[in-house]
Amino acid sequence: MEGTVVLQNGVENGVNGLDEGLEVDLMTNNNKLTNNELIPSESPVQARVTRKAKRRLKHSPSKDSGPIVSPDTFNKEKNSRKSRSGRGRGLPKKGGAGGKGTWGKDGIIYDENDADCQDSNDPNYDSDAQPGYRLKTIIPTLTEDEFEVTVTPIMQEYFEHGDTAEVIACLEELNINDNHHNVPALAVTLALEKKAMHKEMTSALISDLFGKKVISMDHLQMAFLRLLEGLPELTLDTPGAPEMLGQFIARAIADDCLPPRFIQDFKGKVHTDIMRESLDKADNLLNRKHGLCRLDDVWGVGGGRKPTKLLVKRIVLLLKEYLSSGDIDEAIHCLRDLEVPHFHHEVVYELTVMVIEHLEDPGHTIANKMCKLLKVMYDTGVVTVDQLNTGFQRVYAIMPDLVIDVPHAYANLEAYAEICEKEHVFTKVLRSQLPSRVRKRFVSEGDGGRFKE
């Protein structure tokens, strides 16, 4: 029977204080413990240690060789998480987030600005962030051929939207180092074959380019000199090019983009009659009375810039000319020359009002002529369905005021609507909205002869 050793503190934990691996075999043989002391047995040999503890092999240290460590001890120390210096607290290294191929501990945000990685092999190395290096975007310079191919679409789009700021923004993105004078030259060349409205837009573009300092006065002088020298070729495509170029020069001088001495400086240097004709045209425009003020409308007033009252007068005039001549093609041509396709509903409005005011003529001559003109405009697309509805609805809205001057306005409108309906010009929407004058009773029979308020 194995015995136990009772320590003085009363804890039964076996023999504490013996070397590691020591085993004690005590033969009790009726031994008795009293007063917390160990009573020896009958034979002292039986109480001694029966087996020695396992101890590490130790050799005498030598100067040449270091301490000998067993393989088991090396493996234990290699896989140990404790600090090898003896100063650690036994915690895992780097909070458990270290090791090769790991991204770090969860929830930690690493600021790239805090790390100054100088090693190009480091994954966090950023060449742009290194001091002493600056990257600069270089845009190659456009050649003359590339310039024309690149800038021509920009000018064509400008003739559609008319926004000079958009053109300036597009030009700033290009590297036109020595081709600034080609910008106004190309714009004028493209505008020579277009309408007066586009020529006015080109003059406004030249003024804005000079005002925003995209081009200088020297660039403009070079541009117009190049255009003057190229007049023989321009005249082949546009016979009126000399006169138009003189108008462009005069307008640029009026806008303070060219110096007034430009004409006199180059007048004696020209070698052809075409160039002299262009400069003479510009000189005549500048020397006439109030020439500088009148040059603002050298290209006329474009459709979108014309006042509404002027457009109304032009439309009424062409309708009256049509009534006297009966030429539908001429009336449509005059309407298209106004260059206001969004304002064609005014034609329907003025046409209908004229019919209502003069429908008392015998045979409804005016009504039939106007209906015929309206049908041709409607069939050819000069007047759209929306513009047709808008024009008639505007007439419906003014009927209460129109009936004051024309007492039979409602009856005349209904008669004209029937004529248009036969020609399939009047839509169902207009027919349903056609107003009719209702008899207004001022005295009711049940009110005792009293007038209503």
Side-chain angles (χ1 to χ4, degrees):
M1 178 177 180
E2 296 180 358
T4 58
V5 178
V6 180
L7 302 181
Q8 294 181 0
N9 54 6
V11 181
E12 297 180 359
N13 290 325
V15 179
N16 189 14
L18 298 178
D19 292 338
E20 183 180 357
L22 182 62
E23 296 182 0
V24 180
D25 186 11
L26 299 178
M27 302 298 293
T28 56
N29 292 328
N30 298 326
N31 289 342
K32 296 182 180 178
L33 297 175
T34 58
N35 296 329
N36 295 331
E37 294 180 358
L38 179 63
I39 300 174
S41 60
E42 295 178 357
S43 175
V45 179
Q46 297 178 354
R48 70 179 182 177
V49 178
T50 59
R51 189 177 61 179
K52 294 182 180 181
K54 294 181 180 180
R55 301 184 182 276
R56 299 176 181 176
L57 298 177
K58 294 184 179 181
H59 298 275
S60 60
S62 62
K63 296 181 180 180
D64 298 336
S65 62
I68 299 175
V69 183
S70 64
D72 296 339
T73 305
F74 177 77
N75 292 333
K76 290 181 181 179
E77 292 179 356
K78 176 182 178 181
N79 298 327
S80 176
R81 290 180 175 269
K82 295 183 179 180
S83 176
R84 298 180 184 179
S85 63
R87 301 178 183 177
R89 296 179 296 165
L91 300 178
K93 293 182 291 183
K94 298 183 180 180
K100 182 179 180 181
T102 59
W103 289 94
K105 191 174 181 180
D106 295 340
I108 297 178
I109 301 175
Y110 295 95
D111 189 1
E112 297 180 356
N113 297 327
D114 294 343
D116 186 10
C117 301
Q118 302 292 338
D119 187 4
S120 60
N121 297 323
D122 195 315
N124 295 325
Y125 178 78
D126 187 5
S127 59
D128 296 340
Q130 299 304 316
Y133 298 97
R134 292 183 180 180
L135 299 180
K136 183 178 180 180
T137 304
I138 299 177
I139 303 175
T141 306
L142 296 177
T143 61
E144 291 189 2
D145 296 337
E146 294 175 348
F147 175 84
E148 185 174 355
V149 174
T150 306
V151 179
T152 299
I154 298 176
M155 295 300 173
Q156 296 290 357
E157 291 179 0
Y158 168 69
F159 292 141
E160 296 294 333
H161 56 72
D163 188 1
T164 57
E166 181 69 19
V167 178
I168 294 174
C170 294
L171 292 177
E172 289 178 350
E173 296 177 358
L174 303 175
N175 188 3
I176 52 175
N177 189 14
D178 297 330
N179 294 320
H180 285 84
H181 64 281
N182 290 330
V183 176
L186 180 60
V188 172
T189 304
L190 295 175
L192 290 177
E193 300 178 358
K194 295 186 177 294
K195 298 181 181 179
M197 177 181 65
H198 301 110
K199 296 180 178 65
E200 174 64 29
M201 294 172 63
T202 304
S203 296
L205 176 63
I206 293 174
S207 178
D208 289 347
L209 291 175
F210 179 76
K212 298 295 183 179
K213 297 182 180 180
V214 178
I215 57 177
S216 63
M217 190 172 292
D218 294 335
H219 294 148
L220 278 176
Q221 293 184 18
M222 294 175 60
F224 282 109
L225 180 60
R226 179 179 178 181
L227 289 171
L228 287 171
E229 294 175 351
L231 270 178
E233 298 179 359
L234 295 175
T235 308
L236 297 176
D237 298 330
T238 309
E243 182 179 356
M244 295 178 187
L245 184 57
Q247 292 175 328
F248 273 112
I249 295 174
R251 176 63 181 271
I253 294 175
D255 292 339
D256 295 331
C257 299
L258 285 177
R261 57 182 175 81
F262 174 81
I263 298 175
Q264 303 301 329
D265 292 345
F266 289 95
K267 211 168 187 180
K269 299 179 182 180
V270 296
H271 306 289
T272 60
D273 296 336
I274 300 178
M275 297 173 64
R276 190 175 294 106
E277 179 184 354
S278 180
L279 293 175
D280 290 340
K281 177 64 177 179
D283 194 13
N284 293 333
L285 291 173
L286 291 170
N287 292 330
R288 63 179 178 174
K289 187 177 181 180
H290 304 293
L292 294 177
C293 298
R294 298 171 65 180
L295 282 173
D296 292 339
D297 298 332
V298 67
W299 304 112
V301 181
R305 299 174 62 245
K306 292 179 181 178
T308 305
K309 292 183 179 180
L310 178 61
L311 292 174
V312 172
K313 290 181 179 179
R314 295 284 182 86
I315 291 174
V316 172
L317 181 61
L318 71 88
L319 290 175
K320 290 181 178 180
E321 290 179 356
Y322 164 70
L323 288 177
S324 61
S325 64
D327 191 352
I328 296 177
D329 295 336
E330 182 65 21
I332 295 176
H333 178 71
C334 294
L335 180 61
R336 285 177 173 172
D337 284 344
L338 295 177
E339 298 178 354
V340 283
H342 60 281
F343 199 61
H344 286 179
H345 59 84
E346 182 69 23
V347 179
V348 182
Y349 172 79
E350 296 293 341
L351 181 147
T352 307
V353 172
M354 292 176 66
V355 170
I356 292 175
E357 293 177 349
H358 304 89
L359 197 62
E360 289 81 2
D361 61 325
H364 302 300
T365 305
I366 297 178
N368 292 327
K369 280 188 175 182
M370 291 298 188
C371 183
K372 186 178 180 180
L373 174 63
L374 187 60
K375 178 176 176 56
V376 174
M377 289 183 175
Y378 181 73
D379 294 340
T380 56
V382 178
V383 175
T384 62
V385 178
D386 295 336
Q387 292 172 345
L388 185 69
N389 293 334
T390 303
F392 275 106
Q393 288 170 358
R394 289 177 58 194
V395 176
Y396 295 168
I398 66 166
M399 287 302 292
D401 297 331
L402 189 60
V403 74
I404 298 175
D405 299 329
V406 184
H408 302 287
Y410 284 94
N412 295 344
L413 179 60
E414 291 179 2
Y416 180 62
E418 292 178 0
I419 297 173
C420 293
E421 194 171 5
K422 291 179 181 179
E423 297 293 337
H424 302 287
V425 179
F426 213 63
T427 61
K428 294 181 179 180
V429 177
L430 297 175
R431 186 63 181 175
S432 62
Q433 297 177 354
L434 185 66
S436 59
R437 186 175 186 182
V438 182
R439 183 176 66 89
K440 186 176 182 181
R441 295 185 301 168
F442 292 96
V443 181
S444 176
E445 292 81 359
D447 294 338
R450 293 180 299 174
F451 286 96
K452 289 187 175 182
E453 296 180 0

